[in-house]
Amino acid sequence: MAKKSKNPTLEELFSDPEQFRQMHEQLYSRKPLLEQGSPFAHLLQTMVNAALDGEVLGHVAETRAQGEENKRNGYTDKTILSEAGPLSIRTPRDRQGTFEPQLVPKRERELSSGLDTQILALYAQGNSVEDIKRLLQTMFGVDISAGKISAITDQVLPVIQEWRNRRLLEFYAVIYMDAIHFKVRHEGKYSSRAFYTVYSVDGHGNRDLLGMYMSENEGANQWGLVLEDLKFRGVEDVLVFCTDDLTGFSEAMNDVFPATVVQKCLVHKMRNTTRFVDDKDMKAVVRGLKAVYKADTQEAAATALEAFEVEWGHKYSSIVVSWRRDWDELMAFLDFPIALRRMIYTTNPVEAVHRIIRKLIKGKAAWASDTALMKQVYLSLMHNEKSWRKQAYGWKAIQRDLVKLYGDRVTKHMGPS
Protein backbone atom coordinates (compact mmCIF):
# COMPACT_ATOMS: atom_id res chain seq x y z
CA MET A 1 0.00 0.00 0.00
CA ALA A 2 1.34 3.41 -0.94
CA LYS A 3 2.23 5.87 1.79
CA LYS A 4 -0.28 8.48 2.87
CA SER A 5 -0.12 11.66 0.85
CA LYS A 6 2.19 14.34 2.26
CA ASN A 7 0.54 17.12 0.26
CA PRO A 8 -1.00 19.79 2.52
CA THR A 9 -4.79 20.10 2.54
CA LEU A 10 -6.36 23.24 1.09
CA GLU A 11 -7.22 24.38 4.61
CA GLU A 12 -3.57 24.06 5.66
CA LEU A 13 -2.37 25.84 2.55
CA PHE A 14 -4.67 28.83 2.99
CA SER A 15 -3.71 29.13 6.67
CA ASP A 16 0.00 29.27 5.87
CA PRO A 17 1.25 32.91 5.94
CA GLU A 18 4.40 31.95 4.00
CA GLN A 19 2.34 30.53 1.16
CA PHE A 20 0.32 33.72 0.94
CA ARG A 21 3.50 35.80 0.98
CA GLN A 22 4.84 33.81 -1.96
CA MET A 23 1.56 34.20 -3.86
CA HIS A 24 1.56 37.95 -3.23
CA GLU A 25 5.15 38.17 -4.46
CA GLN A 26 4.32 36.15 -7.59
CA LEU A 27 1.34 38.39 -8.36
CA TYR A 28 3.50 41.52 -8.34
CA SER A 29 6.49 39.96 -10.10
CA ARG A 30 4.77 40.21 -13.53
CA LYS A 31 5.81 36.63 -14.19
CA PRO A 32 3.29 34.07 -15.47
CA LEU A 33 1.09 33.01 -12.55
CA LEU A 34 1.21 29.38 -13.56
CA GLU A 35 4.87 29.08 -14.46
CA GLN A 36 6.59 25.96 -13.23
CA GLY A 37 7.52 26.17 -9.55
CA SER A 38 5.28 29.13 -8.73
CA PRO A 39 3.11 28.99 -5.57
CA PHE A 40 0.03 29.07 -7.80
CA ALA A 41 1.29 25.95 -9.60
CA HIS A 42 1.74 24.33 -6.18
CA LEU A 43 -1.80 25.41 -5.28
CA LEU A 44 -3.12 23.84 -8.48
CA GLN A 45 -1.33 20.59 -7.67
CA THR A 46 -2.82 20.60 -4.18
CA MET A 47 -6.30 21.27 -5.54
CA VAL A 48 -6.02 18.41 -8.04
CA ASN A 49 -4.96 15.96 -5.32
CA ALA A 50 -7.66 17.21 -2.95
CA ALA A 51 -10.28 16.85 -5.70
CA LEU A 52 -9.14 13.27 -6.40
CA ASP A 53 -9.38 12.48 -2.69
CA GLY A 54 -12.93 13.85 -2.73
CA GLU A 55 -13.78 11.67 -5.73
CA VAL A 56 -12.63 8.43 -4.09
CA LEU A 57 -14.43 9.26 -0.83
CA GLY A 58 -17.65 9.76 -2.76
CA HIS A 59 -17.14 6.51 -4.69
CA VAL A 60 -16.45 4.46 -1.55
CA ALA A 61 -19.50 5.94 0.19
CA GLU A 62 -21.68 5.13 -2.83
CA THR A 63 -20.56 1.50 -3.02
CA ARG A 64 -21.09 1.05 0.75
CA ALA A 65 -24.59 2.50 0.43
CA GLN A 66 -25.28 -0.28 -2.09
CA GLY A 67 -24.31 -2.86 0.53
CA GLU A 68 -20.87 -3.62 -0.87
CA GLU A 69 -17.68 -3.90 1.15
CA ASN A 70 -15.20 -1.28 -0.05
CA LYS A 71 -12.62 1.12 1.31
CA ARG A 72 -9.64 3.21 0.21
CA ASN A 73 -6.49 1.35 -0.76
CA GLY A 74 -3.59 3.78 -1.04
CA TYR A 75 -2.40 5.81 -4.03
CA THR A 76 -0.72 5.55 -7.39
CA ASP A 77 1.83 8.29 -8.06
CA LYS A 78 2.27 9.82 -11.52
CA THR A 79 3.28 13.06 -13.19
CA ILE A 80 0.92 14.88 -15.54
CA LEU A 81 1.36 17.88 -17.82
CA SER A 82 -0.50 21.12 -17.27
CA GLU A 83 -0.22 24.79 -18.14
CA ALA A 84 1.56 25.16 -14.82
CA GLY A 85 4.17 22.63 -15.86
CA PRO A 86 4.47 19.05 -14.57
CA LEU A 87 2.25 18.22 -11.58
CA SER A 88 2.92 15.36 -9.17
CA ILE A 89 -0.42 13.80 -8.40
CA ARG A 90 -1.47 10.84 -6.28
CA THR A 91 -4.45 9.00 -7.72
CA PRO A 92 -6.39 7.23 -4.92
CA ARG A 93 -7.31 3.55 -5.24
CA ASP A 94 -10.14 1.55 -3.72
CA ARG A 95 -10.10 -2.06 -2.51
CA GLN A 96 -12.56 -3.22 -5.22
CA GLY A 97 -10.59 -1.53 -8.00
CA THR A 98 -13.77 0.07 -9.37
CA PHE A 99 -12.82 3.70 -8.79
CA GLU A 100 -12.46 5.66 -12.06
CA PRO A 101 -11.21 9.22 -11.44
CA GLN A 102 -12.93 11.89 -13.54
CA LEU A 103 -10.55 14.83 -13.21
CA VAL A 104 -7.51 12.89 -14.47
CA PRO A 105 -8.68 9.53 -15.86
CA LYS A 106 -6.47 6.46 -15.72
CA ARG A 107 -3.69 6.42 -18.32
CA GLU A 108 -4.17 10.14 -18.95
CA ARG A 109 -0.98 12.19 -18.75
CA GLU A 110 -2.39 15.67 -19.11
CA LEU A 111 -4.69 17.81 -17.01
CA SER A 112 -7.53 18.96 -19.24
CA SER A 113 -6.38 22.53 -19.64
CA GLY A 114 -6.85 23.35 -23.29
CA LEU A 115 -3.15 22.82 -24.00
CA ASP A 116 -3.92 20.72 -27.08
CA THR A 117 -6.16 23.48 -28.41
CA GLN A 118 -3.44 26.08 -27.87
CA ILE A 119 -0.87 23.94 -29.66
CA LEU A 120 -3.21 23.53 -32.64
CA ALA A 121 -3.90 27.29 -32.67
CA LEU A 122 -0.17 28.06 -32.67
CA TYR A 123 0.39 25.55 -35.47
CA ALA A 124 -2.48 27.11 -37.44
CA GLN A 125 -0.72 30.48 -37.25
CA GLY A 126 2.28 29.13 -39.11
CA ASN A 127 4.56 28.21 -36.19
CA SER A 128 6.82 25.22 -36.61
CA VAL A 129 6.97 22.42 -34.05
CA GLU A 130 10.20 23.88 -32.63
CA ASP A 131 8.58 27.35 -32.48
CA ILE A 132 5.68 25.94 -30.49
CA LYS A 133 8.02 24.06 -28.15
CA ARG A 134 9.89 27.30 -27.42
CA LEU A 135 6.69 29.37 -27.02
CA LEU A 136 5.16 26.92 -24.54
CA GLN A 137 8.33 26.96 -22.49
CA THR A 138 8.37 30.77 -22.49
CA MET A 139 4.69 31.32 -21.79
CA PHE A 140 3.88 28.47 -19.40
CA GLY A 141 7.18 26.94 -18.35
CA VAL A 142 5.94 23.70 -19.94
CA ASP A 143 8.57 21.53 -21.59
CA ILE A 144 6.84 19.38 -24.21
CA SER A 145 8.85 17.33 -26.65
CA ALA A 146 8.69 17.92 -30.40
CA GLY A 147 7.35 14.39 -30.76
CA LYS A 148 4.48 15.13 -28.37
CA ILE A 149 3.61 18.34 -30.24
CA SER A 150 3.65 16.48 -33.57
CA ALA A 151 1.42 13.81 -32.07
CA ILE A 152 -1.04 16.48 -30.93
CA THR A 153 -1.16 18.08 -34.40
CA ASP A 154 -1.63 14.60 -35.89
CA GLN A 155 -4.98 14.47 -34.07
CA VAL A 156 -6.36 16.63 -36.86
CA LEU A 157 -5.53 14.08 -39.59
CA PRO A 158 -8.77 12.03 -39.23
CA VAL A 159 -10.70 15.32 -39.27
CA ILE A 160 -8.95 16.36 -42.50
CA GLN A 161 -9.67 12.98 -44.06
CA GLU A 162 -13.35 13.22 -43.15
CA TRP A 163 -13.50 16.79 -44.49
CA ARG A 164 -11.83 15.81 -47.77
CA ASN A 165 -14.25 12.91 -48.28
CA ARG A 166 -17.45 14.67 -47.20
CA ARG A 167 -20.50 14.67 -49.46
CA LEU A 168 -20.85 17.79 -51.61
CA LEU A 169 -23.88 19.52 -53.10
CA GLU A 170 -25.22 18.43 -56.47
CA PHE A 171 -25.03 21.93 -57.97
CA TYR A 172 -22.63 24.87 -57.83
CA ALA A 173 -23.01 28.11 -59.71
CA VAL A 174 -19.29 28.93 -59.72
CA ILE A 175 -16.17 26.96 -58.88
CA TYR A 176 -12.77 28.68 -58.74
CA MET A 177 -9.72 26.47 -59.21
CA ASP A 178 -6.09 27.45 -58.85
CA ALA A 179 -2.76 26.04 -57.75
CA ILE A 180 -0.15 27.35 -55.33
CA HIS A 181 3.33 25.84 -55.02
CA PHE A 182 5.31 24.84 -51.92
CA LYS A 183 8.65 23.18 -51.21
CA VAL A 184 8.23 19.76 -49.60
CA ARG A 185 10.73 17.06 -48.68
CA HIS A 186 9.98 14.10 -50.91
CA GLU A 187 12.08 10.95 -51.24
CA GLY A 188 15.04 12.53 -49.47
CA LYS A 189 15.13 15.87 -51.27
CA TYR A 190 13.10 19.06 -51.41
CA SER A 191 10.96 19.58 -54.49
CA SER A 192 8.09 21.81 -55.55
CA ARG A 193 4.59 20.46 -54.94
CA ALA A 194 1.46 21.86 -56.58
CA PHE A 195 -1.27 22.50 -54.01
CA TYR A 196 -4.70 22.74 -55.66
CA THR A 197 -7.52 24.72 -54.09
CA VAL A 198 -11.17 24.31 -55.11
CA TYR A 199 -13.37 27.19 -53.91
CA SER A 200 -17.07 27.50 -54.71
CA VAL A 201 -20.28 29.51 -54.70
CA ASP A 202 -23.40 27.34 -54.50
CA GLY A 203 -26.88 28.05 -55.82
CA HIS A 204 -27.76 30.07 -52.74
CA GLY A 205 -24.63 32.23 -52.84
CA ASN A 206 -22.78 30.45 -50.03
CA ARG A 207 -19.01 30.26 -50.43
CA ASP A 208 -17.13 27.13 -49.40
CA LEU A 209 -13.87 25.24 -49.85
CA LEU A 210 -14.66 21.96 -51.57
CA GLY A 211 -11.22 20.42 -51.47
CA MET A 212 -7.45 20.68 -51.38
CA TYR A 213 -5.18 18.39 -53.36
CA MET A 214 -1.45 17.90 -53.86
CA SER A 215 0.67 16.72 -56.77
CA GLU A 216 4.19 17.03 -58.11
CA ASN A 217 3.00 19.20 -60.98
CA GLU A 218 0.01 20.56 -62.85
CA GLY A 219 -1.43 18.83 -65.86
CA ALA A 220 -4.48 17.36 -67.54
CA ASN A 221 -4.18 14.05 -65.67
CA GLN A 222 -4.07 15.71 -62.26
CA TRP A 223 -6.93 18.08 -63.01
CA GLY A 224 -8.91 15.11 -64.30
CA LEU A 225 -8.43 13.36 -60.95
CA VAL A 226 -9.57 16.47 -59.07
CA LEU A 227 -12.70 16.80 -61.21
CA GLU A 228 -13.47 13.09 -60.91
CA ASP A 229 -13.19 13.39 -57.12
CA LEU A 230 -15.71 16.26 -57.10
CA LYS A 231 -18.09 14.19 -59.19
CA PHE A 232 -17.60 11.11 -56.99
CA ARG A 233 -18.48 13.18 -53.93
CA GLY A 234 -21.80 14.25 -55.40
CA VAL A 235 -21.28 17.24 -57.74
CA GLU A 236 -23.53 16.80 -60.78
CA ASP A 237 -23.51 20.21 -62.42
CA VAL A 238 -21.47 23.42 -62.40
CA LEU A 239 -22.33 26.52 -64.43
CA VAL A 240 -18.85 28.08 -64.55
CA PHE A 241 -15.31 27.00 -63.73
CA CYS A 242 -13.00 30.01 -63.22
CA THR A 243 -9.33 29.22 -63.63
CA ASP A 244 -5.95 30.64 -64.41
CA ASP A 245 -4.35 29.33 -67.59
CA LEU A 246 -4.04 25.83 -66.11
CA THR A 247 -2.28 23.30 -68.29
CA GLY A 248 -4.70 20.68 -69.58
CA PHE A 249 -7.64 21.85 -67.50
CA SER A 250 -10.14 22.52 -70.30
CA GLU A 251 -9.57 19.11 -71.86
CA ALA A 252 -10.03 17.37 -68.51
CA MET A 253 -13.18 19.36 -67.72
CA ASN A 254 -14.84 18.51 -71.03
CA ASP A 255 -14.57 14.84 -70.13
CA VAL A 256 -16.17 15.22 -66.70
CA PHE A 257 -18.48 18.27 -66.89
CA PRO A 258 -19.13 18.83 -70.61
CA ALA A 259 -21.96 21.34 -70.07
CA THR A 260 -19.83 23.64 -67.91
CA VAL A 261 -18.36 26.92 -69.17
CA VAL A 262 -14.67 27.65 -68.57
CA GLN A 263 -13.74 31.26 -67.82
CA LYS A 264 -10.02 32.04 -67.84
CA CYS A 265 -8.89 34.77 -65.49
CA LEU A 266 -8.57 38.08 -67.34
CA VAL A 267 -6.41 39.60 -64.61
CA HIS A 268 -3.80 36.86 -65.14
CA LYS A 269 -4.11 37.23 -68.89
CA MET A 270 -3.47 40.96 -68.71
CA ARG A 271 -0.48 40.43 -66.45
CA ASN A 272 1.03 37.67 -68.57
CA THR A 273 0.58 39.32 -71.97
CA THR A 274 1.91 42.73 -70.94
CA ARG A 275 5.12 41.49 -69.28
CA PHE A 276 7.26 42.44 -72.28
CA VAL A 277 5.52 45.68 -73.24
CA ASP A 278 7.79 48.74 -73.24
CA ASP A 279 7.19 51.09 -70.32
CA LYS A 280 6.39 53.99 -72.65
CA ASP A 281 3.65 51.92 -74.34
CA MET A 282 2.20 50.29 -71.23
CA LYS A 283 -0.66 52.69 -70.48
CA ALA A 284 -1.88 52.76 -74.07
CA VAL A 285 -1.64 48.96 -74.49
CA VAL A 286 -3.52 48.34 -71.22
CA ARG A 287 -6.16 50.84 -72.25
CA GLY A 288 -6.62 49.05 -75.58
CA LEU A 289 -6.97 45.62 -73.92
CA LYS A 290 -9.39 46.95 -71.31
CA ALA A 291 -11.58 48.13 -74.17
CA VAL A 292 -11.74 44.48 -75.26
CA TYR A 293 -12.88 42.87 -72.01
CA LYS A 294 -15.03 45.80 -70.87
CA ALA A 295 -17.17 45.57 -74.00
CA ASP A 296 -20.87 44.79 -73.51
CA THR A 297 -20.99 41.88 -75.95
CA GLN A 298 -18.65 39.38 -77.58
CA GLU A 299 -19.17 41.10 -80.93
CA ALA A 300 -18.13 44.45 -79.47
CA ALA A 301 -15.16 42.79 -77.80
CA ALA A 302 -14.05 41.24 -81.11
CA THR A 303 -14.26 44.66 -82.77
CA ALA A 304 -12.14 46.16 -79.97
CA LEU A 305 -9.51 43.46 -80.45
CA GLU A 306 -9.37 44.20 -84.17
CA ALA A 307 -8.85 47.89 -83.35
CA PHE A 308 -6.06 46.91 -80.94
CA GLU A 309 -4.42 44.83 -83.68
CA VAL A 310 -4.49 47.76 -86.11
CA GLU A 311 -2.78 50.00 -83.55
CA TRP A 312 -0.36 47.56 -81.90
CA GLY A 313 -0.28 44.39 -83.98
CA HIS A 314 2.91 45.36 -85.78
CA LYS A 315 4.83 45.67 -82.48
CA TYR A 316 3.00 43.31 -80.14
CA SER A 317 1.60 40.65 -82.44
CA SER A 318 2.13 37.97 -79.78
CA ILE A 319 -0.53 39.64 -77.59
CA VAL A 320 -3.11 39.42 -80.37
CA VAL A 321 -2.18 35.80 -81.11
CA SER A 322 -2.46 34.87 -77.43
CA TRP A 323 -5.86 36.52 -76.94
CA ARG A 324 -7.30 34.97 -80.08
CA ARG A 325 -6.05 31.54 -79.08
CA ASP A 326 -7.91 31.73 -75.74
CA TRP A 327 -10.76 33.90 -76.99
CA ASP A 328 -13.73 31.65 -76.17
CA GLU A 329 -12.58 31.06 -72.59
CA LEU A 330 -11.54 34.68 -72.02
CA MET A 331 -14.81 36.17 -73.25
CA ALA A 332 -17.19 33.51 -71.87
CA PHE A 333 -18.22 35.83 -69.02
CA LEU A 334 -19.87 38.23 -71.51
CA ASP A 335 -22.68 35.71 -72.01
CA PHE A 336 -23.70 36.07 -68.37
CA PRO A 337 -25.70 38.74 -66.50
CA ILE A 338 -23.65 41.80 -65.54
CA ALA A 339 -23.71 41.12 -61.79
CA LEU A 340 -22.31 37.61 -62.30
CA ARG A 341 -19.67 38.86 -64.74
CA ARG A 342 -17.99 40.73 -61.91
CA MET A 343 -17.65 37.46 -59.99
CA ILE A 344 -16.27 35.26 -62.73
CA TYR A 345 -13.93 37.32 -64.90
CA THR A 346 -11.12 36.76 -62.39
CA THR A 347 -9.92 34.08 -59.96
CA ASN A 348 -9.38 36.71 -57.25
CA PRO A 349 -11.68 34.89 -54.76
CA VAL A 350 -9.51 31.76 -54.67
CA GLU A 351 -6.37 33.89 -54.71
CA ALA A 352 -7.70 35.62 -51.59
CA VAL A 353 -7.78 32.17 -49.96
CA HIS A 354 -4.18 31.64 -51.05
CA ARG A 355 -3.21 34.99 -49.52
CA ILE A 356 -4.53 33.77 -46.18
CA ILE A 357 -2.30 30.72 -46.47
CA ARG A 358 0.77 32.70 -47.53
CA LYS A 359 0.31 35.27 -44.76
CA LEU A 360 0.09 32.68 -42.02
CA ILE A 361 2.94 30.47 -43.18
CA LYS A 362 5.15 33.06 -44.88
CA GLY A 363 8.06 32.30 -42.54
CA LYS A 364 8.14 28.67 -43.62
CA ALA A 365 10.57 27.80 -46.41
CA ALA A 366 9.70 24.11 -46.74
CA TRP A 367 7.82 21.23 -45.10
CA ALA A 368 9.07 17.86 -43.99
CA SER A 369 6.27 15.98 -45.77
CA ASP A 370 3.03 16.33 -47.70
CA THR A 371 1.18 15.45 -44.49
CA ALA A 372 2.86 18.26 -42.54
CA LEU A 373 1.95 20.75 -45.27
CA MET A 374 -1.67 19.57 -45.45
CA LYS A 375 -2.06 19.76 -41.66
CA GLN A 376 -0.77 23.31 -41.45
CA VAL A 377 -2.72 24.63 -44.45
CA TYR A 378 -5.95 23.03 -43.24
CA LEU A 379 -5.57 24.39 -39.71
CA SER A 380 -4.63 27.83 -41.06
CA LEU A 381 -7.74 28.02 -43.20
CA MET A 382 -10.10 26.69 -40.53
CA HIS A 383 -8.57 29.13 -38.04
CA ASN A 384 -9.57 31.93 -40.43
CA GLU A 385 -12.84 30.44 -41.65
CA LYS A 386 -14.79 33.68 -41.28
CA SER A 387 -12.62 35.38 -43.89
CA TRP A 388 -13.55 32.99 -46.72
CA ARG A 389 -16.88 31.40 -45.74
CA LYS A 390 -19.07 34.32 -46.76
CA GLN A 391 -22.27 34.95 -48.64
CA ALA A 392 -21.70 36.26 -52.16
CA TYR A 393 -22.65 39.93 -52.36
CA GLY A 394 -25.97 40.70 -54.09
CA TRP A 395 -26.69 37.04 -54.75
CA LYS A 396 -30.50 37.25 -54.82
CA ALA A 397 -30.39 39.36 -57.97
CA ILE A 398 -27.82 37.03 -59.54
CA GLN A 399 -29.97 34.04 -58.62
CA ARG A 400 -33.01 35.55 -60.39
CA ASP A 401 -30.91 36.14 -63.51
CA LEU A 402 -29.62 32.57 -63.47
CA VAL A 403 -33.15 31.18 -63.21
CA LYS A 404 -34.19 33.24 -66.25
CA LEU A 405 -31.11 32.16 -68.18
CA TYR A 406 -30.97 28.46 -67.28
CA GLY A 407 -34.48 27.59 -66.08
CA ASP A 408 -34.83 24.05 -64.78
CA ARG A 409 -31.08 23.44 -64.81
CA VAL A 410 -30.91 25.81 -61.84
CA THR A 411 -34.37 25.59 -60.24
CA LYS A 412 -34.31 21.82 -59.73
CA HIS A 413 -31.45 22.33 -57.29
CA MET A 414 -33.01 25.28 -55.48
CA GLY A 415 -34.31 23.57 -52.38
CA PRO A 416 -34.03 25.20 -48.94
CA SER A 417 -30.61 26.78 -48.33
Side-chain angles (χ1 to χ4, degrees):
M1 182 182 295
K3 293 182 180 179
K4 185 177 179 181
S5 173
K6 295 182 180 179
N7 286 323
T9 64
L10 291 177
E11 289 79 7
E12 291 171 340
L13 186 64
F14 282 114
S15 64
D16 186 347
E18 178 59 21
Q19 288 285 346
F20 276 101
R21 185 196 66 76
Q22 292 176 8
M23 290 180 185
H24 185 273
E25 184 177 302
Q26 184 79 14
L27 280 171
Y28 282 91
S29 70
R30 298 187 181 275
K31 296 179 181 178
L33 294 181
L34 289 179
E35 70 177 356
Q36 188 172 350
S38 78
F40 287 96
H42 182 58
L43 175 61
L44 176 61
Q45 178 174 286
T46 302
M47 291 181 68
V48 170
N49 282 314
L52 290 172
D53 279 340
E55 284 189 36
V56 74
L57 287 173
H59 176 75
V60 169
E62 183 178 343
T63 54
R64 285 179 174 176
Q66 295 172 354
E68 301 176 19
E69 289 292 329
N70 199 13
K71 61 181 180 179
R72 298 182 59 159
N73 188 32
Y75 296 88
T76 298
D77 295 329
K78 69 177 179 180
T79 301
I80 61 172
L81 289 174
S82 76
E83 292 184 14
L87 301 181
S88 297
I89 68 167
R90 313 197 76 199
T91 304
R93 300 193 301 261
D94 66 325
R95 182 60 60 86
Q96 289 184 345
T98 55
F99 173 58
E100 293 286 344
Q102 299 299 307
L103 181 59
V104 185
K106 292 179 180 178
R107 293 173 293 280
E108 283 289 324
R109 291 291 175 179
E110 182 180 326
L111 180 64
S112 297
S113 58
L115 201 60
D116 284 16
T117 302
Q118 292 182 41
I119 287 172
L120 291 174
L122 288 169
Y123 198 67
Q125 293 172 45
N127 294 288
S128 68
V129 169
E130 290 300 325
D131 290 336
I132 295 170
K133 187 176 186 297
R134 185 174 60 256
L135 286 167
L136 291 176
Q137 179 66 49
T138 301
M139 292 188 296
F140 305 119
V142 179
D143 188 11
I144 300 181
S145 69
K148 172 68 173 175
I149 293 171
S150 292
I152 290 171
T153 61
D154 281 347
Q155 293 173 14
V156 79
L157 291 176
V159 178
I160 294 175
Q161 191 64 17
E162 182 179 354
W163 178 81
R164 295 175 75 180
N165 293 329
R166 76 194 190 281
R167 193 72 179 169
L168 301 178
L169 300 178
E170 295 178 354
F171 172 78
Y172 290 91
V174 185
I175 289 182
Y176 304 92
M177 303 182 74
D178 201 7
I180 183 173
H181 294 82
F182 298 100
K183 291 289 185 182
V184 177
R185 188 172 179 82
H186 184 64
E187 296 181 351
K189 61 181 180 179
Y190 286 97
S191 58
S192 180
R193 308 286 277 176
F195 191 95
Y196 306 90
T197 307
V198 182
Y199 188 47
S200 69
V201 181
D202 67 20
H204 297 281
N206 302 310
R207 298 182 184 272
D208 193 13
L209 271 170
L210 303 188
M212 296 183 293
Y213 307 82
M214 275 188 289
S215 177
E216 291 184 22
N217 47 52
E218 298 179 41
N221 290 339
Q222 180 60 31
W223 284 117
L225 292 174
V226 171
L227 294 169
E228 288 288 357
D229 182 66
L230 296 178
K231 194 168 187 177
F232 177 77
R233 290 162 60 202
V235 181
E236 295 179 2
D237 194 10
V238 182
L239 294 183
V240 187
F241 274 112
C242 299
T243 73
D244 187 8
D245 192 10
L246 303 175
T247 305
F249 177 78
S250 298
E251 295 82 357
M253 194 214 66
N254 287 333
D255 292 337
V256 184
F257 296 103
T260 301
V261 172
V262 174
Q263 171 63 51
K264 287 189 176 179
C265 177
L266 279 157
V267 173
H268 280 95
K269 192 66 174 179
M270 287 287 289
R271 187 183 303 146
N272 293 335
T273 55
T274 58
R275 282 184 301 168
F276 304 111
V277 172
D278 294 340
D279 291 343
K280 63 184 179 64
D281 298 333
M282 184 63 75
K283 287 185 178 180
V285 168
V286 168
R287 185 166 56 248
L289 291 175
K290 281 186 176 180
V292 176
Y293 70 79
K294 288 191 174 182
D296 292 332
T297 64
Q298 290 216 25
E299 292 76 13
T303 300
L305 185 61
E306 289 175 4
F308 178 87
E309 184 177 16
V310 169
E311 184 175 3
W312 296 105
H314 63 288
K315 189 171 184 178
Y316 301 116
S317 59
S318 61
I319 293 179
V320 179
V321 171
S322 175
W323 280 63
R324 285 202 169 128
R325 183 185 62 238
D326 296 331
W327 184 257
D328 289 342
E329 294 180 350
L330 286 173
M331 296 297 122
F333 78 112
L334 291 175
D335 290 333
F336 289 90
I338 292 176
L340 186 59
R341 292 181 190 181
R342 299 190 187 102
M343 289 182 60
I344 65 175
Y345 81 96
T346 175
T347 55
N348 275 351
V350 71
E351 290 184 44
V353 175
H354 287 170
R355 281 195 292 274
I356 294 170
I357 298 171
R358 285 192 177 101
K359 180 180 178 181
L360 290 169
I361 57 182
K362 61 185 178 182
K364 220 45 200 211
W367 281 260
S369 66
D370 288 348
T371 300
L373 173 59
M374 181 61 75
K375 280 192 304 183
Q376 196 152 46
V377 170
Y378 175 83
L379 287 168
S380 297
L381 289 173
M382 295 308 156
H383 189 71
N384 289 269
E385 191 174 13
K386 289 184 179 179
S387 63
W388 53 262
R389 192 185 287 277
K390 299 177 180 178
Q391 176 79 11
Y393 178 75
W395 186 254
K396 290 294 184 182
I398 294 173
Q399 192 178 53
R400 291 194 299 271
D401 288 336
L402 291 178
V403 170
K404 289 179 184 178
L405 191 61
Y406 289 102
D408 184 59
R409 184 179 171 187
V410 172
T411 56
K412 69 180 181 180
H413 300 289
M414 291 300 178
S417 57

